[in-house]
Amino acid sequence: MFFNFLDELRAAGISASLKEHLVLLEALDSDVIDRTPEAFYFLARATFVKDEGLLDRFDQVFAKVFKGISSSYGVAPAEIPEDWLKAVAEKFLTPEEMEKIKSLGSWDEIMETLKKRLEEQQGRHQGGNKWIGTGGTSPFGNGGYNPEGVRIGGESKHKRALKVWEGREFKNLDATRELGTRNIKVALRRLRRFAREGAADELDLEGTIEGTARQGWLDIRMRPERHNAVKLLLFLDVGGSMDPFIKLCEELFSAATAEFKNLEFFYFHNCLYEGVWKDNRRRFTERTPTWDVLHKYGHDYKVIFVGDAAMSAYEISHPGGSVEHFNEEAGAAWMQRVTNTYPAAVWLNPIPEAQWGYSQSTRIMRELMTDRMYPLTLAGLDDATRELSRKR
């Protein structure tokens, strides 16, 4: 039983072992859940999914294997005011048609009627006010209008369904998808290393209790607030082919500034050269020499480059290859200086990894980073933070 479910999970890249399968069967035998599809869904998810990046894939597999079972997991329909709904309906329906739409009553009556319609209906139906189909005013189907209804497949239009089949609650949580600010913050937390520094302005409750018990009188002890001690240097490629990824880079920057107290950032274009900048409007007048960056920030900083590495190969390998100025030294020389100065360094690429092999410049940059280039996805950022956290 459920072997097909196990095979589909493995095919989707979810590690589903025989031990986990037996745990699921044991839980079912012990009646730890109600005998409903929703309860079984949550039990199976808790058993097989160990990484939130796999939640959406699990939802897809569950819907595929158990398609046809009534389920309302992951459903949180928006409440639409009745007057708004009437206004929408009046736009498309005549007053006579509106009068014909009647609520069937209780939930049990709706589901019983649905069962009868499924037994009676012989094929697909479009429009109308009785059969299960799309559009129309029947209380069953999708894309139509009825004050109380059951949506079957499709996408909700009026948000009035009492039950939604084949919902997916975690559509945005997939390790192969590009990141949002929330997911970036979650991934970056792997880099956190807490330390207490600065003034003692926080009550040390455990120390106070211990000191009071030891001394015999109230012994209030204070301690510095705990902060993330990791230091991060962020180099962001801007302009040109990076324009389509502005929003993604903004999300990464926002998440990084929220997670790291010791964060410094600089911009560059295409490849790192002898100068970087903090204000793109003054990129040609207010530059910071790259040598100053290497001398100012210690070896304990972790470095993240963000860019698509899409450029002419000459911009990396030759002096004078830059498209904006005459660089006296090749970009490769500066990249090697950074990686030699900061052992913990990675490159995040917003281009899908499958396309990297088509770009000569990407291959060169990946070699300069000693293969520490990762796609800007949840899985890629997770791998990058593991690399940055590795002891050297």
Side-chain angles (χ1 to χ4, degrees), residues 121-328:
Q121 185 168 333
Q122 301 298 318
R124 184 184 183 279
H125 186 71
Q126 167 70 32
N129 59 13
K130 177 180 179 182
W131 298 116
I132 302 167
T134 55
T137 58
S138 166
F140 310 110
N142 72 73
Y145 170 84
N146 194 285
E148 291 180 331
V150 177
R151 176 165 66 86
I152 302 178
E155 295 183 359
S156 174
K157 289 190 176 182
H158 302 300
K159 305 299 183 184
R160 295 291 295 180
L162 299 183
K163 197 172 187 66
V164 180
W165 292 8
E166 298 179 0
R168 282 166 59 193
E169 181 180 4
F170 299 99
K171 188 174 182 180
N172 65 324
L173 293 178
D174 190 323
T176 61
R177 292 181 177 272
E178 291 183 352
L179 299 170
T181 303
R182 173 186 173 276
N183 290 338
I184 295 174
K185 287 182 178 180
V186 171
L188 288 177
R189 284 170 188 167
R190 185 182 296 278
L191 287 177
R192 292 189 297 187
R193 186 180 70 248
F194 290 109
R196 298 189 181 277
E197 301 173 340
D201 54 4
E202 178 182 277
L203 176 64
D204 183 355
L205 183 58
E206 293 182 358
T208 299
I209 293 174
E210 181 182 353
T212 300
R214 187 184 302 275
Q215 300 293 339
W217 62 80
L218 182 60
D219 183 14
I220 297 179
R221 298 186 180 183
M222 305 296 288
R223 63 186 179 187
E225 185 179 355
R226 192 175 72 158
H227 295 287
N228 185 3
V230 170
K231 302 175 183 178
L232 185 65
L233 269 175
L234 190 62
F235 291 97
L236 300 161
D237 184 6
V238 293
S241 58
M242 282 297 293
D243 286 346
F245 308 109
I246 289 177
K247 182 176 182 295
L248 185 59
C249 290
E250 287 177 343
E251 291 175 344
L252 176 64
F253 182 74
S254 174
T257 53
E259 288 295 322
F260 298 98
K261 179 182 178 182
N262 300 310
L263 170 69
E264 294 293 338
F265 71 94
F266 297 95
Y267 295 110
F268 68 98
H269 180 61
N270 285 353
C271 186
L272 187 70
Y273 297 113
E274 70 277 2
V276 291
W277 58 92
K278 282 183 169 289
D279 189 339
N280 284 303
R281 294 171 299 179
R282 300 176 180 177
R283 58 188 296 184
F284 297 109
T285 58
E286 296 183 5
R287 292 202 174 203
T288 301
T290 306
W291 272 123
D292 289 356
V293 175
L294 300 181
H295 291 153
K296 181 177 181 180
Y297 302 105
H299 304 311
D300 56 339
Y301 271 81
K302 301 181 186 297
V303 174
I304 298 179
F305 287 94
V306 182
D308 59 2
M311 68 197 91
S312 167
Y314 292 106
E315 294 183 63
I316 305 174
S317 59
H318 286 69
S322 171
V323 296
E324 292 191 322
H325 71 294
F326 184 85
N327 53 299
E328 295 184 356

Side-chain angles (χ1 to χ4, degrees), residues 12-25:
I14 299 175
S15 298
S17 67
L18 185 59
K19 179 180 179 181
E20 291 167 328
H21 176 65
L22 294 175
V23 168
L24 178 64
L25 295 182

